[in-house]
Amino acid sequence: MNGLLALARLIDRLTETVGRAAIWIVLIATLISAGNALARYVLGESSNAWLEIQWYLFGAIFLLTAGYTLKHNGHVRIDIFYNRLGPRGQAWTDLLGGLFFLLPMAVLLAWLAWPMFHEAWVTQEISPDAGGLARWPVKLLLPAGFALLALQGLAEVIKRIGVLTGHLVLPTSPAEGHN
């Protein structure tokens, strides 16, 4: 169990690093959006490339931070039932939800998205809009984001098994951090 918990900690560090790096994408997207608006309304200039990079960055924010959100217990769940459970009941709920819903969904979506990225890479697909950008970078975000979510899902499953076997105690207060 100690080896698995070490793996979970390694995945947690990866997720934390990617999540904290992705936070900067919010600033970049905001600056590009403001600059694009200024160029359009003040200078009368516009570019499809600037609009597309905004879309790419917003996609990156959501896809690259899904695992980070899971690690910090920020995904939506039916808390009216979950919060009434004790730590073991919550661990069982998280374990079963992770094994039967989260992991299969995330792995399947990463696997299904890979051919879309690969085709865009091989064909060097470009947006059909004038001045549009290459499509492979944004299509790479799909399998990468779901793979990162699957990895964090695996870490969460390992941690819940650790709780159920008495090898790990998770913080109960949001102020303490979930994981």
Side-chain angles (χ1 to χ4, degrees), residues 53-117:
I53 195 68
Q54 286 174 232
W55 301 336
Y56 288 16
L57 292 172
F58 287 132
I61 291 164
F62 290 103
L63 288 164
L64 296 177
T65 61
Y68 181 84
T69 304
L70 177 64
K71 179 183 179 291
H72 290 279
N73 200 26
H75 284 278
V76 176
R77 68 161 58 101
I78 304 173
D79 285 337
I80 190 168
F81 300 114
Y82 185 83
N83 288 338
R84 293 181 184 188
L85 301 172
R88 288 186 62 78
Q90 290 177 352
W92 273 110
T93 301
D94 291 341
L95 174 64
L96 295 174
L99 287 174
F100 293 110
F101 298 105
L102 175 66
L103 283 174
M105 178 275 309
V107 169
L108 178 65
L109 288 174
W111 184 69
L112 290 174
W114 183 260
M116 291 176 17
F117 155 70

Side-chain angles (χ1 to χ4, degrees), residues 118-139:
H118 185 261
E119 182 178 346
W121 172 263
V122 168
T123 64
Q124 293 298 296
E125 180 182 355
I126 296 177
S127 168
D129 296 325
L133 301 175
R135 288 277 171 96
W136 70 263
V138 75
K139 289 188 177 184

